[in-house]
Amino acid sequence: MTQRIDKRDQKGGEAKPAATFTAFGLAAEAEPLPAGLYIVATPIGNLRDVTFRALATLAAAAAVLAEDTRVTRTLLMHYGITTPLVAYHEHSNEAVRERMILRMQNGEALALVSDAGTPLVSDPGYKLVQAAIAAGLPITPIPGPSAVMTAIVAAGLPTDRFFFEGFLPQKSGARRNRLEALVGIPGTLVLFESPHRLPEMLVDAAAVLGGSRPAAVARELTKLFETIRRGSLASLAETFTEEGAPKGEVVVVIGTAIEEAAEETDADLDARIEAALTRHSIKDAAALVADETGQKKRIVYARALALARRGDDDA
């Protein structure tokens, strides 16, 4: 994306100075960008995690739309980028979006960033993307760092299927209700959480999802004091309740209920089913045990049916 650009235009006059950025002590010139919206991923902590393509895009854009201009200014200054900053956040209204659309329709390239990581993941950028699409403007993603992906690959939990929930409700009652809806998700859960709410959230998660579920709490990812604590939900809830709220950005990764159920033996499962059959019909007993253990309902139902038939034969 970088090249040497002639400072003179074809008419012999002085051309607009080329956009530049500095990396490893060397200055580079960035190619001009076609008009449109560029979704640029930025570091989640370590400034060295930015890509060259991201730097060239930020340098060549007519403006950088930032969730918090103070945060983004630090990144731009570090790499010698002088592109103007424009605030764009959750309180930006339709009028602001209309101005941004008009600028792009007039031939400008605008770069959208969040405070850290990939824009639109738990930030308000999607409304601008929708507006740009509706206006027929091109959307160009510039991939890079993501707290979600960084946490999940370091957690030591299955990555073949995962569900990103973002932030849970702040109050315990609403939070537990939302966790109830996530019990049956057939994949690893990824949550964002504020440090001061982490101990209470882990307690609620252990109570609703099951204390023996494997989990990891990743803090300050890519930064100097990065830590990843792994264990069961119950043990992590106890640890952070005793230690108190940590400092810094937090990502919580939680394993599936199927992993918890895998430790249960066939004999244990049969005992659960037989106990349930004394109080419920085959269908209801199977549904109850499946919910309790995380086993697939069709498997539990087939086993319940076999046990019920065996009981009839014995009688």
Side-chain angles (χ1 to χ4, degrees):
M1 181 173 276
T2 59
Q3 66 175 11
R4 299 299 300 181
I5 301 175
D6 192 342
K7 303 294 185 182
R8 299 168 298 174
D9 63 21
Q10 294 180 346
K11 296 180 180 180
E14 289 298 320
K16 180 181 178 180
T20 64
F21 63 91
T22 303
F24 302 108
L26 301 173
E29 295 180 357
E31 293 180 4
L33 295 171
L37 183 62
Y38 294 77
I39 314 299
V40 184
T42 56
I44 61 175
N46 192 319
L47 294 181
R48 292 176 295 179
D49 289 337
V50 71
T51 68
F52 283 113
R53 188 180 178 207
L55 292 176
T57 301
L58 294 174
V64 176
L65 313 184
E67 191 175 1
D68 186 330
T69 57
R70 296 167 300 178
V71 173
T72 303
R73 184 174 288 109
T74 299
L75 174 67
L76 299 190
M77 291 178 61
H78 184 81
Y79 287 103
I81 296 172
T82 59
T83 305
L85 284 162
V86 176
Y88 184 82
H89 43 69
E90 61 180 339
H91 302 298
S92 297
N93 57 25
E94 187 66 27
V96 174
R97 284 187 286 277
E98 289 178 356
R99 289 198 297 271
M100 299 304 106
I101 295 300
L102 182 60
R103 291 184 65 169
M104 289 184 281
Q105 289 175 329
N106 289 335
E108 291 188 345
L110 300 181
L112 175 68
V113 302
S114 63
D115 285 351
T118 301
L120 278 69
V121 180
S122 281
D123 86 12
Y126 77 95
K127 290 183 180 179
L128 181 59
V129 172
Q130 288 179 329
I133 292 172
L137 293 163
I139 307 296
T140 304
I142 310 296
S146 165
V148 173
M149 298 308 302
T150 303
I152 199 170
V153 299
L157 296 171
T159 58
D160 54 336
R161 289 188 296 179
F162 62 89
F163 180 86
F164 174 63
E165 171 66 13
F167 287 94
L168 292 170
Q170 296 183 17
K171 294 187 177 181
S172 181
R175 185 163 56 232
R176 290 197 176 209
N177 287 338
R178 180 55 192 161
L179 285 167
E180 288 282 0
L182 300 175
V183 169
I185 294 293
T188 299
L189 300 177
V190 185
L191 309 170
F192 286 165
E193 189 52 273
S194 298
H196 67 277
R197 289 198 299 268
L198 178 66
E200 293 179 0
M201 187 276 276
L202 290 172
V203 169
D204 287 342
V208 175
L209 300 178
S212 61
R213 281 206 193 197
V217 175
R219 184 185 71 87
E220 293 290 84
L221 287 169
T222 79
K223 299 179 183 178
L224 181 62
F225 297 105
E226 173 184 288
T227 58
I228 301 175
R229 306 279 283 273
R230 303 175 183 87
S232 67
L233 268 177
S235 66
L236 289 171
E238 181 179 359
T239 296
F240 283 99
T241 298
E242 292 177 353
E243 294 182 359
K247 295 181 180 180
E249 302 293 327
V250 172
V251 183
V252 179
V253 185
I254 303 172
T256 65
I258 293 175
E259 290 180 21
E260 181 181 10
E263 298 178 1
E264 188 154 0
T265 67
D266 290 341
D268 291 334
L269 182 61
D270 285 355
R272 282 179 178 270
I273 295 172
E274 288 174 338
L277 285 171
T278 64
R279 306 185 305 274
H280 304 282
S281 67
I282 295 174
K283 181 179 179 181
D284 291 344
L288 178 65
V289 174
D291 287 342
E292 289 178 347
T293 64
Q295 294 278 9
K296 293 180 179 179
K297 288 185 178 180
R298 59 181 178 82
I299 294 175
V300 179
Y301 180 79
R303 189 60 190 157
L305 191 61
L307 290 171
R309 287 173 177 170
R310 189 176 69 184
D312 291 341
D313 292 340
D314 291 342

